[in-house]
């Protein structure tokens, strides 16, 4: 009985305190009778500290089947087309350019003169205004290559060879550095090794586009550059095991790998060996044959895959 009375008394005291605390704006102040300094929880933010408008860089890895075509739009709306897919890719590239209302290409790069990279380049040259055109020093005796060079001549577009360590002027906020080919190196008969390899940095994010560069070119890049780390890697040569050597992939150490490849291609790209390596190293892989055109958005602080993936072309 005694305990019960005590409990009741205690309960009453607590109840009174609770009422006092909850009924006044600041309970402690009411009890202690002296005001506490008031702290506003919503301190207005001075205008100067408002976040700046985020300018984005966009990368579209176009689904051109067994080939490469990458469209970049810089934070200040400069455009860059890296490769133009196969001879059947023109419409795909044109559709994307139309959708984005792009009529002028500030920079066009033909990574190397193979038909799955420059297949529709002649049509691009004929139909678009091009500010700067770049290619590797690697003359090839193919009709596709001759047509491309003739189209450049006819439109009076000057072209420039690219070599490792050069920087491609594009957008003042983006660094476009050439990693390969290294000038003066004889890469032998494998044209893929003459591929222009690019390291693109925007703010704290970066991307490495490897063209079709194979082992020998990767090795030269490792010998030439101290650091080639990048958040995103466009794997060399459609995920073939002639590229993506372990040393090279570990040096790039990407979070995400993009493979530009056609469904059921006759080369069996990407190779199982390469896919196993990416898996072992915990690298996320996206493929144009499975994901369609892949659209990445870089904010300068990070990047994301744009949500609406486009439908895979049948
Ligand atoms: Zn290729």
């Amino acid at each position: 009985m005694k305990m019960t009375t005590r409990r009741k008394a205690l309960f009453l005291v607590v109840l009174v305190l609770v009422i006092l605390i909850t009924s006044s704006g600041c309970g402690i102040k009411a009890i202690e009778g002296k005001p506490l300094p008031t702290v506003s929880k919503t301190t207005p933010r001075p205008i100067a500290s408002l976040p700046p408008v985020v300018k984005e860089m966009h990368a579209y890895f176009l689904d051109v089947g067994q080939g490469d075509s990458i469209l970049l739009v810089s934070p200040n709306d400069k455009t860059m087309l890296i490769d133009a897919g196969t001879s059947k890719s023109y419409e795909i590239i044109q559709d994307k350019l139309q959708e984005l209302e792009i009529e002028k290409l500030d920079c066009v790069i033909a990574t190397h003169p193979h038909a799955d990279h420059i297949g529709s380049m002649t049509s691009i040259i004929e139909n678009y205004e091009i500010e700067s055109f770049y290619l590797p020093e690697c003359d090839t005796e193919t009709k596709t290559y001759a047509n491309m060079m003739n189209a450049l001549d006819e439109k009076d577009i000057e072209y420039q060879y690219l070599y490792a360590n050069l920087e491609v002027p594009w957008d003042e906020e983006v660094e476009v550095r050439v990693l390969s080919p290294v000038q003066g190196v004889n890469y032998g008969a494998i044209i893929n090794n003459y591929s222009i390899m690019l390291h693109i940095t925007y703010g704290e994010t970066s991307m490495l586009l490897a063209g079709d560069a194979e082992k020998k070119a990767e090795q030269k890049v490792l010998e030439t550059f101290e650091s080639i780390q990048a958040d995103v890697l466009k794997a060399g040569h459609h995920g073939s095991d002639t590229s993506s050597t372990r040393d090279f992939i570990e040096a790039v150490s990407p979070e995400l790998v993009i493979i530009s490849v056609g469904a059921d291609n006759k080369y069996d790209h990407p190779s199982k060996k390469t896919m196993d390596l990416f898996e072992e190293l915990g690298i996320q892989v996206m493929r144009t044959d499975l994901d369609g055109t892949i659209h990445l958005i870089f904010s300068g602080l990070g990047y994301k895959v744009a949500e609406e993936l486009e439908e895979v072309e049948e």
Side-chain angles (χ1 to χ4, degrees):
M1 284 299 280
K2 235 181 171 182
M3 284 296 287
T4 317
T5 318
R6 230 183 243 173
R7 272 189 192 166
K8 271 185 186 167
L10 198 64
F11 176 71
L12 275 173
V13 170
V14 171
L15 186 69
V16 168
L17 277 173
V18 167
I19 290 167
L20 275 173
I21 290 167
T22 53
S23 61
S24 60
C26 173
I28 298 163
K29 187 171 80 180
I31 293 165
E32 294 188 342
K34 51 182 175 183
L36 288 173
T38 50
V39 179
S40 162
K41 279 184 183 166
T42 51
T43 313
R45 215 166 8 158
I47 287 166
S49 77
L50 281 172
V53 178
V54 177
K55 289 194 277 185
E56 293 168 336
M57 176 170 80
H58 296 261
Y60 302 87
F61 298 84
L62 302 179
D63 177 19
V64 290
Q66 184 67 11
D68 267 25
S69 185
I70 304 162
L71 175 68
L72 305 181
V73 181
S74 84
N76 296 303
D77 285 334
K78 298 280 183 191
T79 54
M80 184 187 295
L81 183 71
I82 301 159
D83 288 336
T86 69
S87 58
K88 294 175 185 161
S89 305
Y90 182 64
E91 227 171 277
I92 297 165
I93 301 168
Q94 190 190 33
D95 283 353
K96 180 53 77 182
L97 292 171
Q98 258 167 19
E99 181 197 318
L100 299 172
E101 295 176 5
I102 294 170
E103 286 167 4
K104 181 192 169 193
L105 295 164
D106 295 293
C107 176
V108 175
I109 297 178
T111 61
H112 65 295
H114 273 162
D116 56 328
H117 294 252
I118 60 164
S120 291
M121 199 57 101
T122 299
S123 304
I124 292 289
I125 295 165
E126 284 168 354
N127 292 292
Y128 288 88
E129 187 192 339
I130 295 172
E131 183 77 33
S132 310
F133 193 96
Y134 303 95
L135 69 167
E137 190 179 355
C138 177
D139 285 351
T140 313
E141 284 177 20
T142 61
K143 202 160 183 273
T144 314
Y145 184 73
N147 288 345
M148 178 179 89
M149 299 315 279
N150 286 338
L152 287 171
D153 278 349
E154 264 168 44
K155 279 198 73 180
D156 219 7
I157 297 170
E158 280 188 38
Y159 55 84
Q160 217 180 305
Y161 296 138
L162 288 181
Y163 305 101
N165 266 316
L166 287 177
E167 216 182 293
V168 180
W170 183 45
D171 181 307
E172 57 191 16
E173 293 187 59
V174 182
E175 187 197 81
V176 182
R177 185 163 293 280
V178 182
L179 300 184
S180 193
V182 177
Q183 190 166 17
V185 169
N186 181 357
Y187 290 95
I190 300 172
I191 285 175
N192 285 342
N193 277 327
Y194 290 88
S195 285
I196 290 170
M197 196 190 287
L198 300 168
H199 190 276
I200 299 175
T201 309
Y202 173 40
E204 291 168 21
T205 48
S206 54
M207 188 165 44
L208 196 157
L209 308 175
D212 273 1
E214 300 191 10
K215 282 173 199 165
K216 187 166 184 175
E218 291 181 353
Q219 200 50 47
K220 277 281 163 230
V221 168
L222 290 173
E223 286 167 19
T224 310
F225 292 90
E226 224 163 81
S227 169
I228 53 166
Q229 196 281 323
D231 302 305
V232 178
L233 165 70
K234 198 294 291 180
H237 199 200
H238 320 284
S240 156
D241 61 7
T242 51
S243 307
S244 298
T245 49
R246 178 180 286 269
D247 286 354
F248 183 77
I249 299 302
E250 284 181 345
V252 180
S253 179
E255 217 171 59
L256 170 66
V257 158
I258 308 276
I259 300 177
S260 190
V261 69
D264 303 321
N265 64 81
K266 61 181 175 186
Y267 310 99
D268 224 6
H269 292 159
S271 90
K272 188 180 179 304
K273 189 180 157 200
T274 311
M275 294 302 283
D276 286 349
L277 177 66
F278 294 148
E279 196 185 342
E280 185 201 320
L281 298 174
I283 300 166
Q284 190 198 340
V285 174
M286 293 188 80
R287 302 163 48 160
T288 55
D289 61 336
L290 302 178
D291 300 305
T293 288
I294 297 159
H295 175 195
L296 301 184
I297 305 171
F298 294 80
S299 70
L301 295 171
Y303 72 91
K304 64 174 182 181
V305 179
E307 272 163 30
E308 352 79 70
L309 289 175
E310 280 135 72
E311 273 175 41
V312 179
E313 296 269 329
E314 286 302 321

